Amino acid sequence: GEGEVLICSVPREELEKINLTQYVRQNAFPVVWSRFSEKAWSLESPAVDFLIQKIKQMGIPLKEFANLKPYRGLTTGFNEAFWIDDDTRQNLIRNDPKASGLIRPFLRGQDIKRWSVNWSNTWLIFTEDIDDIDLYPSVKKHLESYKENLQARAGKQLWWKYQAAIPSVHFLKPKLIWADLAWSSKFCFDDSGLLTNDLCFILTSEDKWILGVLNSPVMWYWLWRNVIHGKDEVLRLKNIYTELIPIAQPTPTIRTETEEIVTRLIAITK
């Protein structure tokens, strides 16, 4: 038959407590050589590998299911200039009421909860939609105090604009949001027009079925095995991975039931 190799996963925290030879003898499992091809491969047990492949085969990649691709949040290139507290916001508006149109509530990665957001009264000066900073004197004066740093950023943007930004219209739509850094399933829904920084991603959809799937234990199981791990085993939920998350096509009944449950979960976690 086909050749096999024995695989054994040994938890780091167990190394000093075990007899390694005995542990391998008791816990090793066979994996066929054909799994080690030029394509991505895993060292999971045959049962786990079968389940992962089944999830993938039964699902449609997220970007195809939603007919949308996720967007990364806003990259200012120098957060200190654009992120402001409520006292600064009020002062800018007091000196120039027009400034209120440029100051928007926004989310950081740490503000993302499961199902709903946890806005922390954080504000962002959003200059991407304007062509003349001189029309907003209080904002211009505030940003000018950081002008040297802003001009030192990479890129060819105007000194008072962001280093990288998607059109603001995407943030105004109902959307699903998740953080780049994830230690657990924390995908949420927002329909209040909140902006996000570049440690968040958004999908401009209000599909509660997708949100239910993303927050499900089985999807975290899949993500854990298909997404790059960072320091302390944090998952990096970047587009190259999340675009490919397999979303199963539900029956009309299952979709309706799931959407009702997800809607309630959004409400009770606000």
Side-chain angles (χ1 to χ4, degrees), residues 66-93:
N67 198 28
L68 297 162
K69 72 173 187 176
Y71 292 103
R72 188 185 184 190
L74 303 166
T75 302
T76 71
F78 192 71
N79 292 335
E80 187 177 349
F82 297 96
W83 294 15
I84 59 174
D85 58 24
D86 195 55
D87 288 340
T88 303
R89 179 185 72 91
Q90 292 183 39
N91 186 52
L92 291 174
I93 294 172

Side-chain angles (χ1 to χ4, degrees), residues 21 27 89 112 184-185 191 223 242 248:
T21 301
N27 295 278
R89 179 185 72 91
I112 306 304
S184 62
S185 291
D191 60 358
L223 288 169
T242 54

Side-chain angles (χ1 to χ4, degrees), residues 80-129:
E80 187 177 349
F82 297 96
W83 294 15
I84 59 174
D85 58 24
D86 195 55
D87 288 340
T88 303
R89 179 185 72 91
Q90 292 183 39
N91 186 52
L92 291 174
I93 294 172
R94 188 181 305 113
N95 292 327
D96 175 22
K98 297 193 305 298
S100 63
L102 299 186
I103 301 174
R104 305 269 293 276
F106 85 107
L107 301 169
R108 304 157 298 172
Q110 65 212 67
D111 300 321
I112 306 304
K113 298 191 304 179
R114 197 177 189 193
W115 308 115
S116 62
V117 302
N118 181 33
W119 181 54
S120 303
N121 201 33
T122 47
W123 300 91
L124 189 70
I125 297 174
F126 188 74
T127 56
E128 287 302 296
D129 291 343

Side-chain angles (χ1 to χ4, degrees), residues 37-166:
S37 67
E38 69 277 5
K39 299 179 181 179
W41 44 265
S42 78
L43 298 176
E44 299 284 6
S45 70
V48 170
D49 188 66
F50 175 79
L51 177 58
I52 294 297
Q53 294 305 318
K54 185 175 181 179
I55 293 171
K56 183 177 180 180
Q57 292 165 8
M58 295 295 289
I60 301 169
L62 175 61
K63 65 178 179 180
E64 296 177 20
F65 189 96
N67 198 28
L68 297 162
K69 72 173 187 176
Y71 292 103
R72 188 185 184 190
L74 303 166
T75 302
T76 71
F78 192 71
N79 292 335
E80 187 177 349
F82 297 96
W83 294 15
I84 59 174
D85 58 24
D86 195 55
D87 288 340
T88 303
R89 179 185 72 91
Q90 292 183 39
N91 186 52
L92 291 174
I93 294 172
R94 188 181 305 113
N95 292 327
D96 175 22
K98 297 193 305 298
S100 63
L102 299 186
I103 301 174
R104 305 269 293 276
F106 85 107
L107 301 169
R108 304 157 298 172
Q110 65 212 67
D111 300 321
I112 306 304
K113 298 191 304 179
R114 197 177 189 193
W115 308 115
S116 62
V117 302
N118 181 33
W119 181 54
S120 303
N121 201 33
T122 47
W123 300 91
L124 189 70
I125 297 174
F126 188 74
T127 56
E128 287 302 296
D129 291 343
I130 62 171
D131 297 319
D132 188 357
I133 191 64
D134 290 328
L135 297 177
Y136 303 88
S138 68
V139 170
K140 180 183 179 182
K141 182 178 179 182
H142 170 83
L143 294 178
E144 280 182 329
S145 63
Y146 303 97
K147 189 171 183 178
E148 183 177 346
N149 297 99
L150 293 172
Q151 290 178 322
R153 296 173 297 171
K156 299 180 180 180
Q157 67 282 335
L158 296 171
W159 70 267
W160 44 271
K161 288 205 171 191
Y162 289 179
Q163 193 169 23
I166 61 174

